[in-house]
Amino acid sequence: MSDQPAITLSDIGKTYVVRTKAGALRRHRNEVKAVDGVSFAVEAGEMVGYLGPNGAGKSTTIKMITGILTPTSGRLRVLGLKPVAQRRMLAKHIGVVFGQRSQLWWDLPLIDSFDLLHHVYATEPGRHKHNVAEFIDRLDLGEFLTTPVRQLSLGQRMRGELTAALLHDPELVVLDEPTIGLDVVSKHAVRTFLQDVNAQRGTTVLLTTHDLDDVEQLCKRMLIIDHGRVLLDQSVADFKKEHGTRRTLVVEFEHVVDPVQLAHATVARCEGPQQWLSFDRSVTTAAALISELAELHAIRDLSIDEPEIEDLVRGLYKS
Amino acid sequence: MDSPASLGLYGRLLGARVRSDWQYRTSFITLLFSQALVTVLEFVSILLVLELVPNLGGWTPTEVAFLYALATVPFGMADLLMSSVERTANHVQAGTFDRLLLRPLPALFQISAIEFELRRAGKLLPSLGVGVWAVANVDVAWNAQRVGVLVMAVLCGAVIYSALWVASASVSFWAVGSREAANAVTYGGQAANQYPLHVYRNWVRAVLGWGIPLAFVSYVPSQWILDAENPLGMPSNLVVAIPVVTVAVLVAALGCWGLGIRHYQSTGS
Ligand SMILES: Nc1ncnc2c1ncn2[C@@H]1O[C@H](COP(=O)(O)OP(=O)(O)O)[C@@H](O)[C@H]1O
Ligand SMILES: [Mg+2]
């Protein structure tokens, strides 16, 4: 199993059929092409980011990979299995996290879900105990283990979801927007944990996100998808070199001043005492710019705008 | 999945369901209590009605009670264990059916356990009461063969009703709103099946015999076990067909279910 890719998609398509009411009995039949000829492979042990704006087709792809949805066209293999036809066998070997949807028993204490999953996956008891102890320690679950899941904060719940998805030692973990809506601390916890799982257990990881930071910090390789098609498939390092280095520094001065003149930044926008300075991270740093600015005028507030995935996708279409 | 292990797992999933319900214990207890009351009332009213039943096409009131029990006990068993598949429609609509497909267990097994409702046992108890009473009072020389056919009829009946539920729940993968129409088949068929087949018009007989073959749940085995009047002139060895019909219905229902799962579209976001 180790010499073949963990996931192979060859020209995969998915068309949803949507029926809308048009009068008492008549229905309109609409087709939505959510995924349109996607091909890529993920090697065992890789950690790949699957990026795209809202509605790009990320979740649809994940649902086909995990055997929830039947592809309309194309060929799909996951861990050497056909996801829909061999769904239950595949389920034993993969872990799945949906950021928007819980896999836990909503009304029961978190620890009960772990115990139930132990039996659902028939995990060897020693292995289960070891994993539970390890994940409680790493993800700091101790404080809320006996709290009903519905009472957990999003960050706490997500840490529970990650544990639930990994308790049965899956070879592949698939995560759909695992960091969506999380605060900075929980995001960091999730990222560090995934990195460790990938590095120490050799688990293959495929994660979707619309947060570029997730990918920059976690993955060596990324794919960008939009309107159901793969726009880009390259190493994160190359991507950063080509696209990911422009940043915007937003400064608010104490008083309204003329647009500043700096060697390595240009004023993109000016609004009262606020100015938007665009700069290239490979040429200068935000810290250098800030010290230059501080010598010119008194500063009230500062922030750095990260590029949004939507902007990047727009850029990709242009180039 | 070997069967003792899956029985234990089913128990655990049921336990989780009951503990979840227990989180809202006031409504849980109220519901159980009111169901218990309804159950007692239903049992009393059935006995009262059976007292008044005239001979239906040559069947004595006790024989009708036997047939009634043979229709309603399997129905109650199927109701308790499998009518939770009705909830498929809700899971499809909410997209939470996804979760069932991500676990290494059959989706039917899971939905049966996670949507289990103890109060459904309330429908089974009065039927069992009638059944016990009818078996004790009916004019039959019980022997191994008759007991065997009775047990087989109960089990096959439970499977046939379960299969009808599964088939009608499968409809929700295509059209969520059509569940009520599908329910007409299970509940309507069940209601009709509580009386001897020969009291009905021909088209009802045809539907119950060959469409949704509920006649094989109670009328066919009752007539054979009781050696009762046979105004329809059924062949005497028709009971042999019961397991065959059961398997056919089950295969068809599981086929619909499998097709439905393949057709499942989940929901956006
Ligand atoms: N169950 C569904 N039924 C109909 N249309 C859907 C369904 N799920 C997603 N879509 C549509 O398919 C497209 C891709 O959706 P999705 O895969 O959820 O994108 P993403 O996860 O990248 O936001 C969108 O246009 C969305 O509206
Ligand atoms: Mg999505």
Side-chain angles (χ1 to χ4, degrees):
Chain A
M1 208 120 91
S2 55
D3 48 345
Q4 69 181 0
I7 306 174
T8 317
L9 282 85
S10 321
D11 205 18
I12 286 291
K14 177 71 195 181
T15 304
Y16 291 107
V17 177
V18 186
R19 283 177 220 280
T20 43
K21 273 213 167 100
L25 283 171
R26 285 190 38 238
R27 297 256 165 124
H28 276 308
R29 184 178 187 280
N30 284 322
E31 293 196 344
V32 179
K33 224 177 214 178
V35 170
D36 186 9
V38 165
S39 303
F40 67 87
V42 176
E43 300 300 327
E46 256 193 310
M47 184 144 173
V48 176
Y50 197 59
L51 272 146
N54 262 331
K58 303 183 295 295
S59 300
T60 304
T61 312
I62 296 299
K63 286 174 187 170
M64 287 190 280
I65 290 173
T66 52
I68 294 173
L69 293 178
T70 315
T72 315
S73 59
R75 185 176 174 278
L76 176 59
R77 288 290 180 282
V78 180
L79 302 175
L81 302 170
K82 298 179 195 166
V84 171
Q86 294 168 296
R87 179 166 46 78
R88 273 187 273 147
M89 209 193 303
L90 181 63
K92 282 189 191 164
H93 300 282
I94 62 173
V96 187
V97 174
F98 282 104
Q100 316 259 44
R101 218 166 261 166
S102 182
Q103 320 259 7
L104 303 165
W105 275 260
W106 200 240
D107 287 316
L108 298 183
L110 181 58
I111 188 82
D112 287 25
S113 285
F114 299 162
D115 191 49
L116 285 160
L117 289 171
H118 166 39
H119 294 98
V120 165
Y121 286 91
T123 331
E124 194 262 312
R127 192 66 211 151
H128 176 76
K129 261 198 198 129
H130 171 269
N131 278 343
V132 170
E134 183 180 332
F135 294 145
I136 289 178
D137 182 46
R138 281 201 189 181
L139 286 166
D140 252 332
L141 306 177
E143 270 172 53
F144 48 87
L145 270 179
T146 51
T147 311
V149 172
R150 71 183 133 84
Q151 292 172 12
L152 298 180
S153 74
L154 184 58
Q156 292 173 331
R157 206 199 81 209
M158 192 47 63
R159 284 183 267 165
E161 304 278 352
L162 281 175
T163 303
L166 284 158
L167 276 177
H168 56 288
D169 289 326
E171 292 146 58
L172 166 69
V173 200
V174 185
L175 309 104
D176 193 18
E177 310 260 11
T179 58
I180 197 164
L182 294 188
D183 57 280
V184 182
V185 178
S186 302
K187 247 185 205 178
H188 180 73
V190 168
R191 286 174 184 161
T192 317
F193 179 72
L194 286 176
Q195 212 148 29
D196 288 352
V197 166
N198 174 251
Q200 292 163 16
R201 298 180 170 227
T203 310
T204 314
V205 180
L206 175 67
L207 69 106
T208 80
T209 178
H210 58 254
D211 184 341
L212 268 172
D213 276 355
D214 279 345
V215 174
E216 289 198 358
Q217 293 184 19
L218 284 177
C219 308
K220 287 209 175 69
R221 179 178 156 214
M222 61 191 278
L223 287 97
I224 294 185
I225 175 176
D226 189 40
H227 296 300
R229 290 170 170 275
V230 174
L231 297 183
L232 171 148
D233 178 354
Q234 71 177 164
S235 80
V236 173
D238 286 350
F239 177 82
K240 271 192 194 168
K241 250 185 257 156
E242 288 172 32
H243 306 275
T245 53
R246 284 221 81 81
R247 290 287 183 280
T248 305
L249 178 66
V250 187
V251 232
E252 186 182 347
F253 296 110
E254 286 288 354
H255 308 285
V256 180
V257 297
D258 287 337
V260 292
Q261 306 275 334
L262 298 174
H264 299 304
T266 51
V267 177
R269 203 171 136 202
C270 203
E271 217 170 77
Q274 274 191 312
Q275 299 192 8
W276 279 257
L277 305 176
S278 170
F279 68 99
D280 191 331
R281 219 168 41 158
S282 60
V283 177
T284 185
T285 63
L289 284 179
I290 292 166
S291 60
E292 275 184 71
L293 287 169
E295 283 177 16
L296 293 174
H297 305 289
I299 295 171
R300 181 194 291 263
D301 202 6
L302 285 163
S303 66
I304 296 177
D305 269 2
E306 298 289 328
E308 299 283 331
I309 177 71
E310 285 80 5
D311 302 332
L312 275 172
V313 167
R314 233 174 281 133
L316 286 175
Y317 280 123
K318 275 186 208 150
S319 59
Chain B
M1 231 173 49
D2 52 310
S3 33
S6 44
L7 211 62
L9 186 54
Y10 191 82
R12 276 176 208 283
L13 294 176
L14 274 193
R17 164 76 207 203
V18 172
R19 270 180 290 138
S20 298
D21 283 344
W22 193 243
Q23 299 278 314
Y24 311 91
R25 57 203 76 166
T26 330
S27 73
F28 183 63
I29 293 171
T30 319
L31 229 108
L32 272 188
F33 185 76
S34 59
Q35 187 61 50
L37 198 69
V38 169
T39 304
V40 171
L41 289 176
E42 201 172 311
F43 183 56
V44 172
S45 69
I46 294 164
L47 289 184
L48 289 177
V49 169
L50 286 175
E51 291 262 293
L52 303 173
V53 172
N55 279 15
L56 288 176
W59 286 41
T60 67
T62 329
E63 285 172 336
V64 175
F66 183 88
L67 171 115
Y68 171 89
L70 203 45
T72 53
V73 169
F75 180 82
M77 288 164 67
D79 187 39
L80 187 63
L81 292 176
M82 268 335 285
S83 69
S84 2
V85 288
E86 271 185 355
R87 302 280 303 169
T88 302
N90 305 62
H91 286 281
V92 168
Q93 208 158 18
T96 44
F97 200 82
D98 287 12
R99 185 171 97 165
L100 306 186
L101 296 178
L102 293 173
R103 302 218 168 113
L105 304 171
L108 273 178
F109 177 89
Q110 295 181 67
I111 203 154
S112 159
I114 64 171
E115 293 295 349
F116 182 84
E117 283 182 37
L118 194 55
R119 70 186 164 83
R120 295 209 188 97
K123 286 193 202 161
L124 183 55
L125 294 176
S127 317
L128 271 176
V130 174
V132 169
W133 179 83
V135 167
N137 288 288
V138 87
D139 186 19
V140 157
W142 287 102
N143 57 21
Q145 240 186 342
R146 287 204 157 95
V147 173
V149 170
L150 178 60
V151 171
M152 176 192 78
V154 170
L155 295 180
C156 287
V159 172
I160 289 178
Y161 279 123
S162 299
L164 287 183
W165 254 302
V166 170
S168 76
S170 307
V171 174
S172 24
F173 291 108
W174 284 273
V176 175
S178 16
R179 186 167 106 229
E180 278 69 28
N183 271 352
V185 175
T186 41
Y187 290 106
Q190 158 61 6
N193 201 33
Q194 294 171 9
Y195 297 95
L197 196 60
H198 54 250
V199 306
Y200 291 112
R201 285 165 189 277
N202 276 333
W203 70 267
V204 182
R205 282 185 212 157
V207 168
L208 289 179
W210 307 113
I212 38 168
L214 289 179
F216 287 91
V217 173
S218 55
Y219 187 70
V220 171
S222 296
Q223 192 277 328
W224 188 89
I225 293 170
L226 303 174
D227 201 10
E229 284 289 319
N230 184 7
L232 300 181
M234 295 184 299
S236 62
N237 52 5
L238 199 58
V239 281
V240 180
I242 293 173
V244 180
V245 169
T246 306
V247 170
V249 172
L250 186 62
V251 166
L254 291 178
C256 292
W257 180 256
L259 219 65
I261 285 187
R262 258 151 229 254
H263 199 271
Y264 175 56
Q265 293 214 93
S266 187
T267 51
S269 85

